[in-house]
Amino acid sequence: MKSSAPTCCLILCFFASSLVHVSVCLPFILLHGIADQCSNKGVKNITDQLTQLSKSEGFCLEIGDGTWDSWFKTLHEQTEIACNKVKQMKELKDGYNIVGLSQLKSGRSGEVKNFISLGGPHAGTASVPLCGNGTFCIIADNIIKSGIYTDYVQAHLAPSGYLKLPNNIPAYLEKCSFLPKLNNEIPEERNATYKQRFTSLQNLVLIMFEHETVLIPKETSWFGYYPDGTFNPALSPQKTKLYSEDWIGLKTLDEAGRVKFIKVAGNHLGISTADMKKHVVLYLQDAAKDTPLSTEQRFDQSQLSDVERYH
């Protein structure tokens, strides 16, 4: 009878190879800000380039028809649409990262690993984002003039959901339809689930632009803001009650070393290629999942290529 040693070796090799793991980058979704849409050249280029640089699959998640709905569909509606789309995407079932362009963190799924925020109004903004003279802006301006904390404006102008006027905090807490709830600012309405989901992140990457002119104050990108009742000075996040009393878990995340407070040169969303590679791509590659090695899977270690400056 022939020795079974060769056969045993083959079996052992098979099982050994099945236990070898490679890092496969998780997919990411990109969320654009107001007055933009996924089909616009700038947003499409960022999505494509991040996919290329990180070697991870990327998807720009569109809300409704894009530009119009980004202005005039409430943030609650936008969040619900985004969450429903995420639930239907089988590519995201094992987890995913989020890249937010001037976006709030409002995802409800525990499968989010890293949230990378570029110029997000996390603590609010004391001024309606700059718009211009187009049709959307004329409509928005007329709505704003009717009173930012009225039910009508809150129901018809998306940015009103995170407009926080320091000299009118009582009206903000009572009438602002979105941010006070998201940030657990109303004591009797604080939601422990928001905090639980927020603190489940592996990394929270908060990118602030040094020459920011769209968000007032720029420190809102780090959850910093003005003290109640005054427009000066802008407080660092650590000096706010949101942080010190840990309303949403920011302090918990920070003390665990999972918050990255990053400042880059440039105006709103004007991030350089070098900074994009260093502060965004890094976390799209880092949140990897272990996958059994197959004959068709190879870890790509090709060098990062240069991309155009993002705007």
Side-chain angles (χ1 to χ4, degrees):
M1 181 176 178
K2 292 184 179 181
S3 170
S4 61
T7 303
C8 290
C9 287
L10 287 172
I11 293 173
L12 286 173
C13 287
F14 172 79
F15 280 107
S17 65
S18 69
L19 295 175
V20 176
H21 289 71
V22 295
S23 291
V24 178
C25 292
L26 291 171
F28 69 89
I29 60 172
L30 184 140
L31 302 173
H32 64 74
I34 62 171
D36 220 336
Q37 57 189 29
C38 290
S39 59
N40 283 352
K41 182 178 179 181
V43 176
K44 188 175 186 303
N45 284 346
I46 291 177
T47 308
D48 292 344
Q49 294 292 355
L50 286 178
T51 297
Q52 176 189 350
L53 293 170
S54 67
K55 308 303 179 186
S56 57
E57 194 172 14
F59 307 89
C60 182
L61 208 66
E62 191 61 274
I63 308 299
D65 67 0
T67 302
W68 179 271
D69 283 343
S70 74
W71 270 104
F72 302 115
K73 191 177 288 293
T74 69
L75 295 179
H76 286 291
E77 292 176 290
Q78 293 189 42
T79 300
E80 184 176 359
I81 291 171
C83 289
N84 288 336
K85 283 193 172 185
V86 165
K87 290 176 183 178
Q88 294 170 9
M89 295 177 66
K90 61 182 180 180
E91 299 91 343
L92 309 180
K93 65 182 178 63
D94 294 325
Y96 59 98
N97 300 311
I98 295 178
V99 178
L101 305 181
S102 194
Q103 278 284 334
L104 297 161
K105 165 67 173 77
S106 57
R108 295 183 298 180
S109 174
E111 287 75 33
V112 179
K113 305 305 180 183
N114 289 338
F115 179 65
I116 305 116
S117 170
L118 290 81
H122 299 295
T125 182
S127 176
V128 175
L130 299 177
C131 188
N133 298 315
T135 302
F136 295 140
C137 301
I138 294 172
I139 296 173
D141 287 342
N142 287 331
I143 293 176
I144 292 168
K145 289 175 182 177
S146 69
I148 200 68
Y149 293 134
T150 62
D151 292 341
Y152 180 81
V153 173
Q154 291 292 313
H156 292 87
L157 186 66
S160 69
Y162 55 83
L163 187 71
K164 184 177 182 179
L165 299 177
N167 60 346
N168 199 3
I169 294 300
Y172 163 76
L173 293 175
E174 181 182 357
K175 292 293 188 178
C176 189
S177 61
F178 191 76
L179 191 62
K181 298 178 178 63
L182 183 66
N183 281 348
N184 275 339
E185 295 182 74
I186 306 171
E188 61 274 17
E189 296 182 18
R190 284 181 184 150
N191 189 324
T193 303
Y194 288 173
K195 184 174 181 178
Q196 181 182 5
R197 288 168 179 158
F198 194 68
T199 54
S200 71
L201 289 170
Q202 290 180 358
N203 289 288
L204 173 64
V205 183
L206 301 173
I207 300 176
M208 176 175 70
F209 292 90
E210 188 172 4
H211 306 294
E212 176 73 72
T213 59
V214 174
L215 300 180
I216 309 297
K218 65 183 179 182
E219 288 81 4
T220 187
S221 298
W222 285 359
F223 283 93
Y225 210 68
Y226 299 119
D228 290 357
T230 178
F231 284 84
N232 188 58
L235 301 176
S236 67
Q238 291 80 6
K239 292 183 179 180
T240 66
K241 287 185 178 180
L242 179 145
Y243 183 98
S244 63
E245 297 181 5
D246 212 19
W247 294 344
I248 60 171
L250 181 63
K251 182 180 180 180
T252 298
L253 272 177
D254 190 24
E255 291 180 344
R258 289 184 280 152
V259 182
K260 319 300 177 186
F261 296 102
I262 297 166
K263 181 167 65 175
V264 299
N267 199 347
H268 191 64
L269 302 185
I271 190 167
S272 69
T273 299
D275 284 335
M276 183 69 81
K277 290 178 181 179
K278 183 178 180 181
H279 302 305
V280 180
V281 173
L282 172 66
Y283 293 97
L284 297 181
Q285 294 174 323
D286 189 49
K289 58 183 179 181
D290 287 334
T291 304
L293 180 66
S294 72
T295 56
E296 296 179 354
Q297 290 176 321
R298 296 292 183 270
F299 185 70
D300 189 346
Q301 297 184 354
S302 60
Q303 296 296 317
L304 299 178
S305 61
D306 289 333
V307 296
E308 297 178 349
R309 185 178 179 85
Y310 295 97
H311 296 284

